[in-house]
Amino acid sequence: MAADEPVPAGADPWLALARHTPARIALGRVGASLPSAEVLRFGLAHAQARDAVHRALDLAACAGALAAATGLPAQVVQSQAPDRATYLRRPDLGRRLAPAHAATLAMASPPPDLAVIVADGLSALAVEAHALPLLVRLRRALADLHWAPLVVAGQGRVALGDEIGERLGARLALILIGERPGLSSPDSLGAYLTYAPRPGRSDAERNCVSNIRPAGLDYPRAAHTLAWLVREALQRRVTGVALKDESALRLLDGAAAAPDAEAD
Amino acid sequence: MAYQQTIGVRRYGFPDLRTLLARASPERSGDQLAGLAAASAEERMAARLALADVPLARFLDEALIPYERDAVTRLIVDGHDRAAFAPVAALTVGAFRDWLLLPSTDSACLAALAPGLTPEMVAAVSKLMRNQDLILVARKCRVVTAFRTTLGLPGRLAVRLQPNHPNDDERGILASTLDGLLYGAGDAVIGVNPASDSVATQVRLLERLDALRTRFDIPMQSCVLAHVTGTLEAIRLGAPVDLVFQSIAGTEAANASFGVTLALLDEAHAAARALGRGTVGDNLMYFETGQGSALSADAHHGVDQQTCEARAYAVARRYRPLLVNTVVGFIGPEYLYDGKQIVRAGLEDHCCGKLLGVPMGCDICYTNHAEADQDDMDVLLTLLGAAGVNFIMGVPGADDVMLNYQSTSFHDALYLRELLGLKRAPEFEAWLARMGITDADGHLAAPAAQARLAGRLAQVLG
């Protein structure tokens, strides 16, 4: 066979190496190009990731389901980003509450230990699929704490949890948010924990648990990690770099995430 | 107003050079986010008309970010070569664009000019250039560097092999590396972005990649793209460090947000040079940049993102780097909204870097929340191939499973070679032929031959 003759599609003879990595290796080639099957497989993955970014979260349905599953009241709010197009261009608006919604959040007394915020972020799919099973486990693991009402936020970024947590008077804010979809993970949920939440907190003042989904960091491990972080944060009165440095949690498989992948 | 332009009955004023440059910049979501962009299409053209009349020499008198406040400005001003600048010293920005496009302005002429140009001058002229101008001028620039391979030679294109793995698994990384080598990629560098920031991981990966190199006598350089402080520590631990990687930006404050200073880069550069590991050259710094990083760090001083990016190349050229890579679409749609903006930014960065004498490559890429897809990447890939880009990325199947974004693939590099007849780095090309991975013409070998090769190479997974 001449060197420039096309090999049959999918015929790279080192396919056995593919068991070592989720990367797209040994794809085969037609001349210099990808075989049709891989072009289509890639196209489908990208289509799913795109749909995940633009899919709207049904906020009321989400709040209803979470309330029923946890026994906590749940309310719906919106960020200052009125739509997805604005949300993508103006991250600053996704970090602040729409004024009309800000007024509906009341300071609780005594101050709650924990406010949980669920936001669409960059993947409504992730929230629809994983927020409820994770939250049920977390509620069970932290049943002794004083919880604020749940808040479900539309067009939200990570830092939106700071303003919500402050308005609720909570010691800790935990936001569960859809991460930027990867090609092989359109439904990845992220969790960010901030002590003494208030607008202006930096990313260095939060702890992040990333890639929460059955194929990544599964619910039991994610809930275990988050519950540990919540208790440590309440006890040490800090989150972020200071807490992270003293924990071994980052070493958990899948817990080390690329910071760029988050919907901050 | 220092700079003015009248169009019909409307008069546009721009208080300073910094504002003029920002208003003249092609539409870009990052400049809009920063509140620096022109308010209308006409204002943008008014700014360009005014900019065209500004003498190049004006840029030596009006710093965009004050000399006293910014180490990058000091680097630019103190390092300016007035003798090299002389041939264009009398030109305006508009006349400079015309001059760059003259056939008599050739590679030698542009290489001699580079030390006389400042980032602000090249950013300014790029704002008056169409995409075809950016391609044609960049193609005339020649920036050749070398370590164990020689990069940037005419008619050649190199590939950074990017074998990332979500957990830094050694076998996974080697599997992707072999995939790339068997596709004839890796002549720019085999460079891993580690998921972990531990120095132990960095050292472990460097040792595995160096073992691969020595076992098969590959003319290649490897790199783990960790923070420069980690690489310094790895050098102290005796790890086989070929290249020093660091992300850099165009202002002192943005670099501070990356945890780097010029003094730290000086230290790392000296430490790696002392190892003397290069064979055909001693360029050993690998920098990555990208429009929007200064704004993202709230460290842009009111300077538009494309000009900030060009200033990063002033930092880069201080170290005679082997590779400078603009990671053009990684940052997201709030800085580069769609395929059109990404394509334009990639061409600008490449041309500005080359004019400044920097060995530019490009990570032609996008994220899933940007309005872009593989078709846009094909456009930028083809245009940068035509523009003579030094290197591109090679990610298995274009899907980086660690960083979660899409770049260019080993196949994409083969496409570009096929389309434009681009060869690999000469040392690497000879090795591929010697191994039988390619034939004498650089085409990949037939599957039967590749099966034997793959079996042999896979022994390193051991």
Side-chain angles (χ1 to χ4, degrees):
Chain A
M1 189 180 284
D4 58 352
E5 192 168 321
V7 298
D12 281 338
W14 56 93
L15 192 61
L17 293 180
R19 73 178 188 279
H20 297 296
T21 176
R24 293 170 193 255
I25 68 169
L27 298 178
R29 61 188 172 90
V30 281
S33 306
L34 282 171
S36 300
E38 173 57 25
V39 171
L40 293 169
R41 191 169 75 99
F42 186 101
L44 175 60
H46 185 240
Q48 289 170 333
R50 294 290 295 157
D51 285 349
V53 169
H54 289 279
R55 183 185 173 105
L57 180 64
D58 186 336
L59 300 171
C62 181
L66 294 177
T70 60
L72 290 164
Q75 80 175 91
V76 168
V77 298
Q78 288 278 359
S79 79
Q80 290 181 9
D83 51 47
R84 197 80 317 207
T86 311
Y87 175 83
L88 290 173
R89 282 176 179 270
R90 295 287 306 270
D92 53 323
L93 297 182
R95 297 185 188 117
R96 298 308 303 261
L97 275 170
H101 290 269
T104 67
L105 294 174
M107 191 88 72
S109 179
D113 296 314
L114 178 65
V116 175
I117 301 100
V118 175
D120 48 5
L122 285 165
S123 173
L125 204 60
V127 173
E128 287 166 3
H130 310 314
L132 191 146
L134 176 67
L135 204 46
V136 166
R137 284 170 175 79
L138 208 54
R139 175 87 175 131
R140 208 182 299 141
L142 298 169
D144 56 310
L145 298 186
H146 176 28
W147 288 57
L150 299 176
V151 176
V152 176
Q155 310 292 6
R157 298 265 173 182
V158 169
L160 185 65
D162 295 341
E163 184 175 357
I164 295 172
E166 182 186 46
R167 288 191 173 271
L168 294 171
R171 296 174 66 200
L172 267 177
L174 172 66
I175 184 164
L176 307 179
I177 188 165
E179 294 184 321
R180 193 182 80 197
L183 215 55
S184 49
S185 55
D187 63 337
S188 204
L189 190 73
Y192 295 78
L193 189 67
T194 311
Y195 187 79
R198 55 176 162 75
R201 285 286 185 205
S202 79
D203 290 342
E205 295 174 293
R206 315 180 197 287
N207 289 89
C208 162
V209 176
S210 178
N211 196 26
I212 301 171
R213 59 195 177 101
L217 186 68
D218 60 27
Y219 307 138
R221 285 195 298 161
H224 173 83
T225 303
L226 285 169
W228 187 90
L229 280 171
V230 164
R231 291 193 190 280
E232 288 294 310
L234 288 171
Q235 196 194 328
R236 299 194 212 177
R237 296 166 186 267
V238 70
T239 49
V241 179
L243 178 56
K244 199 179 277 184
D245 278 353
E246 297 166 40
S247 91
L249 291 163
R250 310 179 68 194
L251 303 176
L252 281 177
D253 280 352
D260 321 280
E262 293 141 14
D264 59 351
Chain B
M1 283 289 171
Y3 303 93
Q4 294 184 3
Q5 188 68 37
T6 303
I7 294 176
V9 293
R10 267 187 295 279
R11 199 157 132 159
Y12 293 93
F14 309 95
D16 49 33
L17 207 44
R18 184 176 58 185
T19 307
L20 182 66
L21 284 172
R23 302 289 191 271
S25 218
E27 184 176 344
R28 192 139 309 184
S29 52
D31 291 332
Q32 291 166 335
L33 182 63
L36 297 173
S40 67
E42 187 177 88
E43 187 192 13
R44 180 169 293 115
M45 284 314 300
R48 287 184 192 168
L49 286 161
L51 180 60
D53 290 337
V54 174
L56 280 183
R58 175 76 197 152
F59 289 84
L60 301 174
D61 299 330
E62 187 180 340
L64 303 196
I65 304 172
Y67 184 91
E68 301 73 26
R69 288 180 55 198
D70 188 273
V72 179
T73 299
R74 292 195 289 278
L75 180 63
I76 293 166
V77 172
D78 298 346
H80 184 250
D81 183 337
R82 282 205 175 252
F85 178 60
V88 296
L91 300 181
T92 61
V93 177
F96 182 43
R97 174 191 166 277
D98 294 343
W99 181 86
L100 286 170
L101 291 163
L102 290 174
S104 53
T105 304
D106 59 13
S107 298
C109 181
L110 288 168
L113 176 66
L117 294 178
T118 67
E120 290 82 359
M121 292 175 194
V122 301
V125 76
S126 79
K127 295 177 196 299
L128 304 185
M129 292 163 84
R130 282 173 49 190
N131 285 1
Q132 65 167 259
D133 304 339
L134 296 169
I135 294 167
L136 199 60
V137 169
R139 190 179 178 83
K140 293 199 277 186
C141 298
R142 197 54 60 201
V143 185
V144 179
T145 60
F147 189 75
R148 291 196 193 95
T149 58
T150 307
L151 307 171
L153 293 168
R156 296 188 185 263
L157 167 81
V159 176
R160 169 195 164 189
L161 204 168
Q162 183 170 314
N164 297 343
H165 186 279
N167 311 115
D168 298 327
D169 180 84
E170 288 174 31
R171 283 199 173 83
I173 285 167
L174 284 171
S176 290
T177 301
L178 298 187
D179 190 61
L181 289 174
L182 287 161
Y183 272 95
D187 44 353
V189 60
I190 298 183
V192 185
N193 296 91
S196 152
D197 56 8
S198 97
V199 176
T201 299
Q202 186 180 1
V203 170
R204 183 167 54 86
L205 295 177
L206 285 169
E207 285 173 348
R208 288 305 290 263
L209 290 173
D210 205 50
L212 173 72
R213 175 181 74 83
T214 52
R215 179 159 179 171
F216 295 104
D217 199 20
I218 313 175
M220 59 167 262
Q221 36 278 337
S222 62
C223 186
V224 174
L225 284 70
H227 192 265
V228 64
T229 50
T231 302
L232 268 170
E233 182 61 20
I235 290 173
R236 276 192 278 271
L237 292 169
V241 172
D242 291 339
L243 308 185
V244 174
F245 167 81
Q246 183 56 47
S247 291
I248 55 169
T251 70
E252 180 181 349
N255 283 318
S257 81
F258 289 152
V260 294
T261 59
L262 296 178
L264 183 59
L265 293 173
D266 288 349
E267 183 189 350
H269 186 221
R273 280 175 63 87
L275 300 178
R277 293 173 58 83
T279 52
V280 295
D282 66 351
N283 306 106
L284 52 74
M285 299 298 276
Y286 174 9
F287 294 117
E288 285 191 350
T289 64
Q291 291 190 23
S293 59
L295 172 60
S296 166
D298 197 21
H300 60 92
H301 299 276
V303 176
D304 70 87
Q305 68 182 35
Q306 190 253 330
T307 303
C308 280
E309 171 71 7
R311 286 169 55 97
Y313 308 148
V315 176
R317 72 174 169 181
R318 171 183 174 87
Y319 302 97
R320 300 189 303 108
L322 181 74
L323 307 160
V324 177
N325 178 23
T326 172
V327 189
V328 70
F330 187 76
I331 193 161
E334 61 267 43
Y335 300 94
L336 294 169
Y337 187 68
D338 55 15
K340 182 180 172 70
Q341 294 189 7
I342 292 172
V343 166
R344 172 76 196 181
L347 294 175
E348 288 168 349
D349 294 353
H350 177 249
C351 184
C352 288
K354 287 280 176 76
L355 279 171
L356 291 168
V358 166
M360 288 306 292
C362 184
D363 189 343
I364 298 160
C365 64
Y366 65 104
T367 59
N368 286 318
H369 60 321
E371 292 294 323
D373 59 22
Q374 294 302 114
D375 290 337
D376 298 303
M377 298 305 104
D378 289 344
V379 169
L380 183 54
L381 174 70
T382 308
L383 297 182
L384 282 173
V389 70
N390 279 29
F391 65 100
I392 59 171
M393 303 303 108
V395 177
D399 172 16
D400 190 306
V401 294
M402 200 283 278
L403 294 171
N404 277 326
Y405 76 119
Q406 285 90 256
S407 181
T408 48
S409 66
F410 306 135
H411 294 76
D412 289 332
L414 291 181
Y415 148 78
L416 207 55
R417 295 190 189 292
E418 183 88 15
L419 182 76
L420 301 174
L422 297 169
K423 302 270 189 201
R424 300 173 177 89
E427 302 83 358
F428 192 79
E429 182 181 66
W431 177 80
L432 289 173
R434 205 156 64 232
M435 288 289 286
I437 293 173
T438 62
D439 63 18
D441 294 330
H443 292 107
L444 292 185
Q450 288 200 313
R452 286 192 298 278
L453 272 168
R456 222 183 119 200
L457 289 169
Q459 290 168 7
V460 295
L461 289 163

